[in-house]
Amino acid sequence: MTANRLFSARPIVGSENSLLLRVLIQLMVSIGIIATDVAAETQMSLWAVPLSLVGATWSWRQRQRSQVGIKFVLAAALLLALFHFFQNLLGNLNDTRMVLAELLVEVQAIHTFDMPRRKDLGYSIIIGVILISVAATIGQTMAFAPMLLIFLALALPVMVLDYRSRLSLPVLAIQRETFQGQAAALPVKSLSKLLVTALALGLVVFAVMPRLPSYQVQSMPMSGSLPISSTFDASKIVNPGYQSRGKSAQAGQGGSSGQGSSETKEDPDAFDDSNYYGFNQSMNQNVRGVLKPKLVMRVRSQSPGFWRVLGFDRYTGQGWVVSKNDEAKKVQRPGWSNKFTLPNPTYPKSRRIVQSYTTVAELPNVLPALTTPDELYFPTPEMAVDREGSLRAPASLVPNFTYTVISQVPERDPEALTKAGENYKISAVRKDLADYLQIPETLAAKLRPFTEKLVADYTLSQVSRETTPLDNNYDKALYLAQYLKQNYQIPQDLVNLPQVPANADLADWFLFRCRGDAQKNVQGVSQECLAGGYPDHFATVHTLMLRSIGIPARLAVGFDPGYFNPFTGMYEVKNTDAHALTEVYFPRYGWFAFDPIPGHPLLPPSVEDSQVFGVVKQLWNWVAGLLPVPVTAWSAWAIGGIISLLITIWVFCTQGWFGAICGLAGVVVLSFGGWMLFRSWRRWRYGRWLRQQPPMEQVYQQMLGILQRRELPVRQMYETPLEHWHSLDGSIGMVVEPIVLAYVAWRYGGEPQNVDYLRSILLTIKSRNQYSNSDSRKVNYANKAGI
């Protein structure tokens, strides 16, 4: 007999015979594979799931035989999988999660052909858990949620069956009820309750769990490569929606001249309804149209913010242009690292914010990022940074492309910015601020007195009220932005909004087309004419108003944060989130954004807006929308008061030793008070439960409570009333004997009892202070020890 036949004839010791366990484990692993496919948008499940099913069927049929020949074949297949893993690893060193997931899928498919024992099934369970975890880390949509629910619904019975298998208990079936030696029924009802409970607790924990702003990894997420068709021209901006019309080429040619007369020669009627027109080297604000909403990217960031794309410095009369486009500087990264170190100024107060961007649609080659990017993780060998701090890639961003930016975002401190002053000459950061004061002379002659009058009128009104006037640039920027929001509107029909005449100025047309004179009362708006314009026109006018009174400003374009999905932890950004806003320069503190567009927050979200409890905040907003306004207002007042009180207590306790001692004493008092309240609540709950019981049950439970308080033997859960009574030898046993015997006769025999007599015995037990407890304890311990 050959060795193969010898080993094949020997049965496998401890083979797992539960078909239900095998089927559920196979389904659970298949769900893990499919979830990974859904999250990563791969197609591994097309071959892995069918192959695993074939392998599981083979393993079930051959579970009692040792397949030595098959084991050699499987070992060779595992070596091939390992070779394939190392090959993929070398090409994806930046993000190895999917490489490891693919290895696990291959190992699982091979492993299913040889899992006769329970511990072999345990390996498959572990692989399924790892795969669903990988899917959770890379998933960016809600498509992962159903897979997680199905996985949990399968995991609960798998744990029950696996535990019974470890204890060598009878195999469970799905529907059969049984006794010893036969298959027992799977507790479907109990598992359903457990599933609902687990989901409820999981959602509660998920809602209250803080989203702390911390990245512990140093290898930031990014894609493996980006297709580059030609040499990198740092002065060229490629917008996919306008490239086919030659607009990008025009922009690139006009950018190097510095004056850019060709930038505004685009056809104003040529509007792309999928791509924002401002992501280009020139920005013609005479275009008319409305974007069709489309998801363009997802962002995982430690803080919300304006995902800035471009900055413009030169105003052309009907749009904007990057005047010094040829000054964009190329930056190269080391060959051994994917990290670019970007040249940027440092500011007194800034916060390090990590952002990972994943594109859903094709985007221009200018990268969205929070202001002042410091590090960039990108797969190309070189990048470019223009004078306005925008990042440019060698090619446009393709769908499903990921990169990471680390920005040193300046913190907005209103008190410090109001004291920043106007001494721009001492600024070593920006020596060319004259470019950010540029405004056509014909417009300046009309706009400067209009803006100065607005500021002066507001200052006079505040002086009469004995409040703070507009005596600093920060307050002026805020006031002018708020003025535009309140006195100008966005038309309902943007497509048919009249275009600016060819010989007219955009800001002049926006502000004064409904007014007879610039010096007219600022409230005297004609009712026949709708003052306002396109949303981006508000940012243009705000920027020029600031420039007209000597405040350096520029126009910036980018995306609003978008919708924050609390389940994925990502901001979902659409093309309709793109717009322009104003950036104002403050000496020593850098550029800060203001949004004058009606319906937008005056100050864009920034590092000050924490999402640590973002899920709770969204849940409260949803609940508040359903409540009456007075209830919502009162709740907001109460919550605000509690938060203010906690902040006050914290500040007091952190002020020296006296505050610390008082804080410690307060913690002790609150802890003791909480413990007393808990004990009172337990007594009240027990009394409420006791009052709902039959009279005989009340007497018996009161007797057990008295014995427990007298430190006599307590009835254990596994003891019957008679067993517990036998442990109470001595005088106490004789006293409680009538109560115990009456309870047994009533509980198990249905015999009526004289409850009033038993209650008199109970009063006797309460009145006596001492019993022969020592003897009874000795006898009880001896009985339990088997002596």
Side-chain angles (χ1 to χ4, degrees):
M1 183 179 291
T2 62
N4 186 20
R5 290 181 179 178
L6 178 62
F7 283 104
S8 299
R10 299 178 59 186
I12 298 296
V13 178
S15 61
E16 180 56 59
N17 295 317
S18 175
L19 179 60
L20 180 59
L21 176 59
R22 289 175 174 271
V23 171
L24 291 178
I25 290 177
Q26 188 58 43
L27 290 176
M28 190 174 70
V29 177
S30 298
I31 291 297
I33 297 174
I34 296 173
T36 306
D37 265 358
V38 170
E41 299 183 358
T42 56
Q43 297 181 344
M44 294 185 296
S45 58
L46 295 181
W47 61 267
V49 172
L51 186 60
S52 297
L53 294 176
V54 172
T57 304
W58 166 270
S59 179
W60 165 256
R61 294 182 178 275
Q62 303 295 325
R63 66 187 185 280
Q64 301 294 346
R65 305 175 63 182
S66 298
Q67 300 291 341
V68 178
I70 293 296
K71 293 182 185 296
F72 279 107
V73 175
L74 298 180
L78 289 173
L79 291 176
L80 292 176
L82 184 62
F83 175 78
H84 184 232
F85 163 73
F86 283 116
Q87 188 178 22
N88 290 342
L89 184 63
L90 294 177
N92 297 274
L93 291 175
N94 56 293
D95 191 354
T96 60
R97 292 175 296 178
M98 279 308 301
V99 178
L100 293 171
E102 187 175 354
L103 173 65
L104 287 175
V105 171
E106 294 173 352
V107 170
Q108 169 60 21
I110 298 171
H111 171 67
T112 52
F113 286 88
D114 183 33
M115 51 180 192
R117 296 166 296 186
R118 181 191 54 76
K119 70 175 184 178
D120 299 320
L121 296 172
Y123 299 148
S124 295
I125 295 175
I126 295 174
I127 291 177
V129 173
I130 295 176
L131 289 177
I132 202 72
S133 302
V134 171
T137 60
I138 64 179
Q140 298 182 353
T141 66
M142 290 296 294
F144 168 74
M147 299 297 165
L148 181 61
L149 294 178
I150 298 173
F151 187 88
L152 178 60
L154 293 172
L156 291 177
V158 164
M159 288 189 292
V160 172
L161 295 172
D162 182 70
Y163 181 70
R164 291 181 62 89
S165 178
R166 292 173 184 270
L167 299 179
S168 300
L169 295 175
V171 176
L172 284 178
I174 297 181
Q175 295 180 345
R176 288 189 296 175
E177 290 285 351
T178 85
F179 289 94
Q180 304 171 350
Q182 299 180 0
L186 188 66
V188 178
K189 186 176 181 180
S190 300
L191 290 177
S192 301
K193 294 180 180 179
L194 182 60
L195 175 62
V196 173
T197 304
L199 289 176
L201 291 177
L203 290 175
V204 171
V205 172
F206 180 83
V208 301
M209 181 180 295
R211 272 64 175 171
L212 299 177
S214 60
Y215 268 70
Q216 301 299 331
V217 296
Q218 295 301 320
S219 179
M220 298 298 175
M222 75 172 204
S223 296
S225 62
L226 179 68
I228 302 176
S229 58
S230 60
T231 57
F232 182 26
D233 183 2
S235 64
K236 184 177 181 180
I237 298 177
V238 181
N239 190 325
Y242 295 88
Q243 183 181 10
S244 60
R245 302 171 186 159
K247 295 189 178 186
S248 294
Q250 291 177 3
Q253 293 169 2
S256 59
S257 65
Q259 303 302 320
S261 59
S262 63
E263 292 83 347
T264 56
K265 293 181 180 179
E266 304 161 357
D267 180 9
D269 298 324
F271 180 82
D272 185 89
D273 58 8
S274 297
N275 295 272
Y276 180 65
Y277 73 104
F279 297 154
N280 217 323
Q281 192 261 325
S282 65
M283 185 178 182
N284 183 358
Q285 293 192 297
N286 236 345
V287 297
R288 297 293 183 268
V290 178
L291 291 171
K292 294 181 179 179
K294 180 180 69 173
L295 186 67
V296 294
M297 67 178 180
R298 299 186 182 94
V299 184
R300 188 184 302 277
S301 174
Q302 297 171 302
S303 175
F306 182 71
W307 318 123
R308 189 179 183 275
V309 176
L310 271 174
F312 295 92
D313 61 338
R314 179 164 293 276
Y315 176 64
T316 63
Q318 293 193 356
W320 293 85
V321 65
V322 181
S323 65
K324 297 183 179 180
N325 197 44
D326 54 344
E327 293 185 6
K329 297 181 180 180
K330 292 184 179 180
V331 181
Q332 296 182 343
R333 62 174 173 83
W336 46 268
S337 173
N338 291 315
K339 184 178 76 171
F340 289 87
T341 301
L342 306 175
N344 264 310
T346 57
Y347 298 108
K349 293 183 179 181
S350 63
R351 192 178 303 178
R352 184 177 185 267
I353 304 297
V354 182
Q355 322 121 60
S356 293
Y357 299 82
T358 300
T359 61
V360 178
E362 187 176 7
L363 291 177
N365 67 322
V366 280
L367 309 184
L370 288 179
T371 183
T372 322
D374 187 57
E375 298 177 10
L376 171 66
Y377 291 80
F378 206 81
T380 58
E382 56 183 357
M383 291 288 299
V385 182
D386 64 18
R387 193 183 66 152
E388 313 305 328
S390 304
L391 305 178
R392 304 187 183 185
S396 58
L397 305 182
V398 297
N400 299 319
F401 181 81
T402 301
Y403 66 93
T404 298
V405 181
I406 301 178
S407 301
Q408 293 290 346
V409 182
E411 294 187 18
R412 185 189 294 265
D413 184 354
E415 183 178 356
L417 295 179
T418 55
K419 300 176 181 179
E422 302 179 9
N423 191 2
Y424 300 106
K425 296 182 180 180
I426 64 173
S427 175
V429 177
R430 187 63 70 191
K431 299 179 180 179
D432 47 1
L433 288 177
D435 293 337
Y436 305 104
L437 296 172
Q438 173 266 338
I439 183 174
E441 288 297 330
T442 55
L443 176 64
K446 197 173 184 180
L447 185 58
R448 184 178 298 111
F450 175 76
T451 306
E452 289 176 346
K453 186 175 187 303
L454 289 177
V455 174
D457 290 346
Y458 179 84
T459 300
L460 290 175
S461 65
Q462 297 305 307
V463 170
S464 61
R465 300 175 187 174
E466 297 183 356
T467 57
T468 304
L470 296 178
D471 57 356
N472 61 84
N473 290 347
Y474 185 79
D475 289 339
K476 291 177 183 178
L478 284 175
Y479 170 68
L480 293 176
Q482 190 64 37
Y483 170 79
L484 292 175
K485 285 175 176 287
Q486 295 177 352
N487 293 275
Y488 296 86
Q489 303 178 35
I490 300 175
Q492 295 291 332
D493 188 4
L494 291 175
V495 177
N496 297 319
L497 180 69
Q499 293 183 352
V500 182
N503 58 348
D505 185 275
L506 171 65
D508 190 313
W509 174 85
F510 179 96
L511 289 171
F512 308 125
R513 74 177 187 273
C514 295
R515 301 169 185 268
D517 186 86
Q519 303 299 326
K520 189 177 180 180
N521 190 321
V522 296
Q523 302 296 332
V525 181
S526 173
Q527 297 298 323
E528 292 76 15
C529 178
L530 179 63
Y534 208 70
D536 288 349
H537 294 170
F538 287 80
T540 291
V541 173
H542 185 229
T543 302
L544 295 174
M545 292 177 74
L546 292 172
R547 288 185 174 189
S548 69
I549 57 176
I551 301 177
R554 67 186 179 190
L555 191 83
V557 292
F559 295 96
D560 272 339
Y563 168 71
F564 177 71
N565 189 330
F567 294 97
T568 62
M570 306 191 77
Y571 296 90
E572 298 175 355
V573 185
K574 296 182 178 180
N575 56 348
T576 51
D577 292 319
H579 66 89
L581 47 69
T582 301
E583 290 183 338
V584 182
Y585 183 76
F586 296 90
R588 296 184 296 111
Y589 294 100
W591 295 91
F592 289 88
F594 299 82
D595 193 344
I597 300 177
H600 290 200
L602 185 60
L603 302 178
S606 187
V607 294
E608 296 82 12
D609 301 308
S610 173
Q611 289 288 353
V612 174
F613 294 99
V615 180
V616 178
K617 181 180 179 181
Q618 291 200 8
L619 181 62
W620 165 248
N621 291 337
W622 176 76
V623 173
L626 302 177
L627 298 175
V629 175
V631 177
T632 303
W634 181 87
S635 302
W637 173 82
I639 295 174
I642 293 173
I643 294 176
S644 300
L645 177 62
L646 293 176
I647 293 176
T648 303
I649 294 175
W650 172 259
V651 172
F652 174 76
C653 294
T654 54
Q655 300 296 323
W657 286 104
F658 179 75
I661 293 174
C662 291
L664 183 60
V667 170
V668 173
V669 172
L670 289 176
S671 301
F672 181 75
W675 176 72
M676 294 296 294
L677 288 176
F678 177 72
R679 284 175 55 88
S680 301
W681 174 79
R682 288 189 61 183
R683 286 196 298 267
W684 170 84
R685 186 167 175 265
Y686 173 76
R688 182 172 178 269
W689 171 81
L690 189 62
R691 287 190 297 270
Q692 297 174 353
Q693 304 304 313
M696 187 65 237
E697 185 74 31
Q698 293 181 14
V699 172
Y700 182 73
Q701 293 296 333
Q702 288 175 345
M703 181 202 73
L704 294 179
I706 295 172
L707 297 180
Q708 183 177 4
R709 290 192 294 272
R710 298 288 177 83
E711 297 184 358
L712 294 170
V714 180
R715 179 187 170 186
Q716 304 298 327
M717 295 182 63
Y718 55 81
E719 289 183 323
T720 66
L722 291 178
E723 289 175 338
H724 176 247
W725 173 54
H726 287 309
S727 67
L728 300 174
D729 293 337
S731 59
I732 184 60
M734 292 185 294
V735 173
V736 302
E737 178 180 2
I739 298 179
V740 175
L741 295 180
Y743 177 75
V744 172
W746 168 81
R747 179 65 184 272
Y748 302 104
E751 300 177 7
Q753 302 295 323
N754 188 350
V755 179
D756 293 334
Y757 169 70
L758 298 176
R759 283 176 176 167
S760 64
I761 298 176
L762 195 63
L763 292 176
T764 303
I765 300 175
K766 290 182 179 180
S767 62
R768 297 188 59 177
N769 295 326
Q770 292 184 356
Y771 297 93
S772 55
N773 296 336
S774 59
D775 294 338
S776 64
R777 289 176 186 172
K778 293 178 181 179
V779 174
N780 184 34
Y781 297 154
N783 291 337
K784 291 185 177 180
I787 301 176

